[in-house]
Amino acid sequence: MLTVTLRTLRTRWVTLVGTFVALALGVALIATMGLGLASTWEAPAREPERFAGAAVVVRGADELRVPSPIGERKQPLARPRGVAPEVAKALAAKARTVADRSFPVRVSRRDGDDTLVGHPWSVATFGGYRLNAGHEPRAGEVVLAGSPALVGTAVRVRTPAGVSTRTVAGVVAPVRFERALFFSDAEAARLSPRIDHLVVEAAPELVRTLVGPGADVQVLTGDDRRRADPDPDRDRDALIAMNALLGTAGGVTTFVCVFVVASTFAFAVAQRRRDIGLLRTAGATPRQIRRMLVIEAAVVGVLASATGCVLGSHGAPILAGLLVDEKLAPSWFTIGAHTWPYQVAFWTGLLVALAGVTVATVRAGRIRAVEALREASIDKAMTPGRWLFGVGLLATGVGMLVWRLLADPGDALHRKTYTTQPMLLITAVALLAPILVRPLTRLLAWPPAQLPGATGMLVLQNAAAGVRRTAAVAAPVLVTVALAGSLLGATATIDEAKAAEIREQTRADLVVRADDTSAGFDDRTVARIRAVPGATVMVSATTAVYRLEDGHALIRSDARAVDARGLSGARTLPVEAGSLDGLDDTSIVVNTEWAQHTVGERVDVWLGDGTRTSLRIAAVIAAGTGDNGVYLTRHHARDVAPDRLDVTWAPGADRVAGDAAVRAALEPIGARVLTRAQWIEAADPSVSRQTRVGYAVVLGITLVYTGIALANTMVMGTSDRAPDLATLRLTGATKRQILVLVGAEALTVVVVGAVLGSIVTALNLLGIWGSLAALSVRSPIVLPWQTLGATLAACAVVAVVAAMLSAVGALRTRPIESAGARE
């Protein structure tokens, strides 16, 4: 039987190559994504930078720690604390200390504006700064990184205190971890009174003793001093984002690879129905047939999986380079030395190949010897097992959509949900495809069948009769259209819902956002805006609140600290219970995601700086798409400067003059003044480049693979029909007519796959639309027509070209020889 197996592999080389290519590329994709994912699990070790020259650094608390029945829970504070003045005074009394302050600044020069961070000069030495020219800054002077030619020049500097012109006293060499502007210590203290870090020239044990165990500070030594660097978690955060992207990509590509490989191997076995019948005629038992097919799959599986692992080792660095070039990964991101992705990819490929063949061999072993003598056989594509799994998966997929709609509609908007949900439905529709293929092909091929000539009639009969072949060839188109439509349609629909929320909730005529280099709006600026005739101004600041849910989960909620009197006039929030007018210094507005959301109930929360308080629920708003956070008064965020002003004009006010007055008042601090329309456009979530590029990478890789799989399956299907094409030639058909027939059949199959994929897309997007409606968001379903059209066109081109090239190869053989292949 082994000899027969090897000879079969040699004689059916097209099927062999087709299954080998599908499996090798699938394993390569799994290995590539696995290597990328494994490389996101550990950030590179970094040495302290800003305070590399300091032995001990005291820093204010930046974490909220809350005890719970299952241990201490932690969350980063929205407003990290500074070093308390009494702590700084106590340490200064026992050792030499140097206070560090950090604040945003913008420098304007002839060659443009630069966004920098301000520090006192005394901390420069700890970060390795050295003067290259000039002297240390005095009153009215600054030191920055640049050419010695800058010494003595004047620069315009915008700080939280306003705009001023300063002289460049000296220059330093640039460093990689920040772009700094240094002031004298006295001026830095005036511009930013809070002490962010305190360098203490004393033994760590003495410093810890002086601050005491209950002090709200951290004493950093050794590698822990990195916590005082700018954005110390940037590497970790970048890897978390990468992990999410590659995790999604890995899940999608693994599903597609398994789906395509299993379908290809099953189709390859189905193509050999007549060969198996001949073997049965020669005396082979069902057990021998099954063993032969499993051995073939094992040989191809081992070779193709090994080849795929080699391809994956070369593909992973290319993927990493692409992610870095597109700014989706940090510049240092590379593929590490990991072995488990190869193990997973290899064994997944081999097991899928064996599983696909094993399922098909159950039917193959039942083929009777007499079937080898038939010119035609009934194509019974739907078996009891296929019915069972198809209906079961369809019921499960639809059931999950309904369950989310009724029990947890917000879950449908999470990326993990709307990327995995289509997989169930794709598999279900693929299993049930044969019962849909016949009516679909008859419907699609009926119009051309009415035209003069036999081409249309043959397209109709061939596609409808070869149900298994049509379903197998349509499978890559199904998964391509379903994934592109479901994923891109889901993000577009959710983005449109977010935009609709912004449009409905924004009532202000002007929205003013603080500049990125500004510490917010001070009281004088707010007073000037409020003094503009006809202006009603609501002031708000970004903060957060924390709650301990179910006694063990410390959950952070984004919050806005607002003027309670102006909230209802500036924004239209989806209130489900209570009233916004009830918001005061003793209350809070929460959303329906909170476990406690009964009006009048008291909730224990921690504010953005970690202060614990108990507040009464004044109103409950719908969670919406997830951006409807928590509202409380500015009393609970006194140390946070407002970063947004909502300006509403009174009826009859001179809006043109008012707009001009507001812009003039804000021009010195560089705040952005946007009209309502401009604000809605700027806040539109669909403009996120990272989201677009991320999905382009995920779908691009997947769709390229399914395109290759489509061409591969089309070649396998067309080459198997060489005797049929020869028969057509013997009956008088020309080569051109046969090629037109093959191309028309390929187009029909592509359209069938597109229709099946559209069914999956429709079910998924209807589920998301229903969940949005349940969340009180009224928004239409958005379909990426342009992308779907391009995808379908690409599938059509690939299918037609592959089918016609394969047919051209088949037509080179003399018709009488190809027709004799049946005998």
Side-chain angles (χ1 to χ4, degrees):
M1 205 64 192
L2 180 61
T3 303
V4 173
T5 300
L6 295 175
R7 288 182 177 178
T8 303
L9 290 176
R10 186 175 66 251
T11 55
R12 298 190 64 89
W13 66 271
V14 174
T15 299
L16 170 64
V17 171
T19 53
F20 181 90
V21 169
L23 182 54
L25 291 179
V27 170
L29 273 182
I30 296 173
T32 297
M33 293 301 172
L35 287 167
L37 186 62
S39 300
T40 65
W41 287 355
E42 187 174 352
R46 291 186 182 272
E47 299 292 328
E49 295 175 316
R50 268 209 70 208
F51 294 97
V56 180
V57 179
V58 177
R59 171 183 170 86
D62 60 0
E63 274 189 335
L64 173 64
R65 299 169 181 260
V66 177
S68 75
I70 60 172
E72 190 176 58
R73 307 286 90 187
K74 301 177 183 179
Q75 280 278 11
L77 283 173
R79 289 150 37 208
R81 298 171 181 172
V83 179
E86 56 271 20
V87 173
K89 185 176 180 180
L91 291 171
K94 297 294 183 179
R96 180 177 179 269
T97 61
V98 179
D100 171 57
R101 297 171 168 87
S102 299
F103 48 93
V105 296
R106 175 168 289 182
V107 175
S108 299
R109 297 196 297 259
R110 294 179 181 177
D111 55 349
D113 291 358
D114 281 336
T115 299
L116 309 176
V117 57
H119 296 302
W121 173 252
S122 59
V123 300
T125 182
F126 301 114
Y129 289 101
R130 297 291 183 272
L131 279 171
N132 288 342
H135 57 82
E136 65 184 43
R138 305 186 185 98
E141 296 178 334
V142 293
V143 169
L144 48 72
S147 166
L150 292 174
V151 176
T153 61
V155 292
R156 197 168 184 234
V157 179
R158 181 185 299 155
T159 68
V163 179
S164 61
T165 300
R166 297 177 181 270
T167 302
V168 178
V171 294
V172 294
V175 295
R176 66 178 183 178
F177 55 85
E178 69 175 357
R179 302 180 66 201
L181 185 71
F182 294 98
F183 297 78
S184 67
D185 290 1
E187 280 204 288
R190 179 179 62 83
L191 295 172
S192 181
R194 191 181 92 156
I195 299 176
D196 296 302
H197 305 94
L198 192 69
V199 177
V200 185
E201 296 182 359
E205 295 77 13
L206 174 61
V207 175
R208 291 189 177 94
T209 301
L210 291 174
V211 300
D216 229 354
V217 296
Q218 308 168 71
V219 179
L220 307 178
T221 60
D223 289 342
D224 288 342
R225 291 170 298 166
R226 213 183 134 259
R227 298 297 309 165
D229 288 341
D231 194 10
D233 296 323
R234 62 186 183 276
D235 292 342
R236 185 199 65 183
D237 294 342
L239 288 185
I240 289 174
M242 283 288 300
N243 186 275
L245 172 63
L246 291 178
T248 301
V252 172
T253 53
T254 299
F255 165 76
V256 172
C257 295
V258 169
F259 179 88
V260 169
V261 169
S263 175
T264 302
F265 271 79
F267 178 51
V269 174
Q271 279 186 305
R272 301 175 58 185
R273 186 179 187 88
R274 185 175 300 278
D275 295 344
I276 293 171
L278 289 172
L279 289 174
R280 296 281 284 119
T281 303
T285 65
R287 183 178 179 182
Q288 289 175 315
I289 296 295
R290 295 189 186 103
R291 186 191 308 160
M292 177 192 72
L293 294 174
V294 169
I295 291 174
E296 288 180 10
V299 172
V300 175
V302 169
L303 295 176
S305 296
T307 303
C309 288
V310 174
L311 293 175
S313 68
H314 292 86
I318 297 175
L319 174 64
L322 174 65
L323 296 174
V324 171
D325 291 343
E326 294 296 337
K327 311 300 182 186
L328 296 175
S331 58
W332 49 262
F333 180 72
T334 56
I335 300 299
H338 304 280
T339 58
W340 69 259
Y342 295 112
Q343 298 281 350
V344 170
F346 180 87
W347 291 111
T348 298
L350 182 57
L351 290 175
V352 170
L354 292 175
V357 168
T358 301
V359 173
T361 55
V362 174
R363 294 190 67 197
R366 297 173 184 166
I367 296 175
R368 294 173 299 173
V370 71
E371 296 191 23
L373 306 177
R374 293 179 181 175
E375 284 299 316
S377 60
I378 299 174
D379 193 355
K380 295 180 180 179
M382 292 301 295
T383 62
R386 191 160 185 157
W387 273 107
L388 177 64
F389 284 104
V391 173
L393 288 175
L394 182 62
T396 302
V398 174
M400 291 180 67
L401 287 175
V402 175
W403 178 82
R404 289 194 184 97
L405 177 63
L406 299 176
D408 188 9
D411 184 57
L413 309 186
H414 296 159
R415 182 169 62 180
K416 287 185 179 180
T417 300
Y418 62 73
T419 53
T420 56
Q421 177 69 37
M423 299 178 187
L424 272 176
L425 296 176
I426 289 173
T427 307
V429 172
L431 288 172
L432 298 175
I435 65 174
L436 301 173
V437 163
R438 199 182 302 274
L440 276 177
T441 51
R442 290 189 181 280
L443 177 64
L444 294 171
W446 184 81
Q450 309 310 307
L451 299 176
T455 301
M457 181 269 294
L458 289 173
V459 170
L460 174 63
Q461 297 302 323
N462 288 339
V467 171
R468 178 175 289 276
R469 182 181 67 247
T470 303
V473 176
V477 182
L478 159 63
V479 71
T480 301
V481 173
L483 281 178
S486 297
L487 298 188
L488 296 180
T491 54
T493 299
I494 294 171
D495 285 346
E496 176 58 29
K498 290 178 181 290
E501 276 191 320
I502 295 171
R503 288 193 298 269
E504 292 174 2
Q505 295 181 14
T506 304
R507 296 182 62 182
D509 298 298
L510 296 178
V511 178
V512 184
R513 291 302 302 267
D515 185 84
D516 292 339
T517 62
S518 171
F521 303 109
D522 56 28
D523 293 339
R524 289 178 299 174
T525 301
V526 173
R528 284 198 300 268
I529 303 303
R530 283 180 167 157
V532 175
T536 300
V537 182
M538 188 197 73
V539 180
S540 64
T542 301
T543 183
V545 297
Y546 305 83
R547 68 188 188 277
L548 196 63
E549 200 144 286
D550 299 328
H552 64 271
L554 185 61
I555 299 176
R556 167 178 169 151
S557 296
D558 293 334
R560 299 293 301 179
V562 302
D563 287 333
R565 291 175 299 175
L567 179 58
S568 58
R571 300 184 194 177
T572 304
L573 298 178
V575 178
E576 295 200 346
S579 171
L580 297 179
D581 294 333
L583 180 63
D584 56 27
D585 292 346
T586 64
S587 62
I588 186 173
V589 174
V590 303
N591 60 46
T592 52
E593 288 185 342
W594 283 44
Q596 294 176 270
H597 56 263
T598 302
V599 173
E601 186 178 6
R602 299 197 73 85
V603 291
D604 292 329
V605 298
W606 288 262
L607 303 177
D609 62 355
T611 303
R612 182 172 182 173
T613 186
S614 177
L615 299 173
R616 172 181 52 83
I617 296 178
V620 179
I621 60 177
T625 60
D627 292 335
N628 292 336
V630 173
Y631 291 84
L632 35 71
T633 64
R634 291 185 59 204
H635 170 78
H636 301 292
R638 291 177 176 174
D639 60 335
V640 180
D643 57 5
R644 174 172 168 176
L645 307 177
D646 290 62
V647 182
T648 306
W649 298 117
D654 187 345
R655 299 192 175 200
V656 175
D659 284 5
V662 169
R663 295 178 190 278
L666 294 169
E667 193 278 333
I669 63 172
R672 298 180 63 195
V673 181
L674 303 175
T675 64
R676 180 178 180 274
Q678 290 171 333
W679 165 251
I680 291 172
E681 182 181 359
D684 188 344
S686 63
V687 299
S688 171
R689 176 186 175 277
Q690 187 174 17
T691 300
R692 293 198 310 270
V693 175
Y695 270 105
V697 171
V698 173
L699 285 175
I701 294 173
T702 303
L703 299 185
V704 167
Y705 174 65
T706 54
I708 295 173
L710 172 61
N712 185 39
T713 310
M714 188 63 70
V715 169
M716 291 171 61
T718 305
S719 63
D720 192 56
R721 297 181 57 204
D724 298 333
L725 301 182
T727 300
L728 287 175
R729 289 197 61 195
L730 290 174
T731 58
T734 64
K735 289 185 178 180
R736 180 179 176 277
Q737 289 174 321
I738 291 175
L739 291 178
V740 170
L741 171 63
V742 169
E745 288 181 356
L747 281 177
T748 302
V749 172
V750 168
V751 175
V752 168
V755 172
L756 296 177
S758 299
I759 293 173
V760 175
T761 298
L763 288 173
N764 281 293
L765 296 187
L766 281 173
I768 290 176
W769 178 80
S771 296
L772 288 170
L775 293 168
S776 303
V777 181
R778 300 292 183 266
S779 177
I781 292 176
V782 180
L783 277 171
W785 293 111
Q786 186 174 359
T787 302
L788 285 177
T791 300
L792 186 57
C795 287
V797 171
V798 169
V800 171
V801 170
M804 295 183 74
L805 288 177
S806 181
V808 168
L811 292 174
R812 290 177 180 172
T813 306
R814 294 174 58 195
I816 192 65
E817 295 177 2
S818 296
R822 289 188 182 275
E823 303 302 328

